[in-house]
Amino acid sequence: MLGLGPRALARRSVAFSGLSLLGLVRHMAEVERIWFRDRMAGQRTTPHYDTGDHPDAAFDDAAPDPEMVAEAWRIWQAEVDFAEAFVAQATDLDAMGADPSRSQVTLRWVLIHMVEEYARHNGHADFLRQGIDGAVGQ
């Protein structure tokens, strides 16, 4: 928060954000897919939501449709199941995967990164949920 003055630090959440709980589920399905299927397992998969011309589609295209919600949970769960199976079969945490921006990453690095991803987005989810019905995380 360095470099921010009192006004910026006290600014409230804004309504123009595309962030939603459904968008977070969809986004995390993509994150699981990218790190475990594409980068660690070396599979060439197609994004579930994001496209080259619309990288924020997981958020922007999230709509209050029961079928879309059910599909998002199914896709997320399938990606988590794949990741858990991959980790269970790994011989050690130094197993290597290919990452275009880092050249190679270890399974250990990916697992730590995923903890960071979920922690960050669970914080977002807490704020969103509080704004919806007042419920707060424990």
Side-chain angles (χ1 to χ4, degrees):
M1 295 187 261
L2 293 172
L4 295 178
R7 183 176 301 266
L9 290 171
R11 183 177 295 161
R12 303 286 193 245
S13 297
V14 292
F16 59 79
S17 171
L19 193 63
S20 69
L21 292 171
L22 178 57
L24 286 171
V25 172
R26 291 162 48 108
H27 170 70
M28 290 311 298
E30 293 286 21
V31 171
E32 293 276 354
R33 177 192 60 79
I34 289 166
W35 284 108
F36 290 100
R37 288 190 194 271
D38 289 6
R39 298 199 176 136
M40 290 307 299
Q43 297 179 358
R44 302 244 188 266
T45 62
T46 303
H48 297 294
Y49 309 106
D50 303 343
T51 64
D53 62 334
H54 194 181
D56 291 330
F59 293 104
D60 295 342
D61 296 343
D65 172 26
E67 290 178 25
M68 181 180 283
V69 171
E71 176 188 52
W73 283 116
R74 277 193 306 274
I75 291 170
W76 175 81
Q77 188 62 62
E79 295 301 341
V80 168
D81 291 347
F82 179 89
E84 289 177 348
F86 182 88
V87 171
Q89 294 173 2
T91 56
D92 63 54
L93 294 176
D94 292 322
M96 299 298 289
D99 177 38
S101 63
R102 292 172 185 78
S103 182
Q104 290 187 318
V105 289
T106 63
L107 178 56
R108 175 182 288 106
W109 186 93
V110 170
L111 291 171
I112 291 168
H113 178 70
M114 293 303 292
V115 169
E116 294 168 340
E117 280 278 336
Y118 276 100
R120 180 180 312 112
H121 294 313
N122 280 338
H124 296 139
D126 280 345
F127 284 126
L128 290 166
R129 181 64 191 263
Q130 186 176 9
I132 292 167
D133 63 4
V136 295
Q138 302 266 339

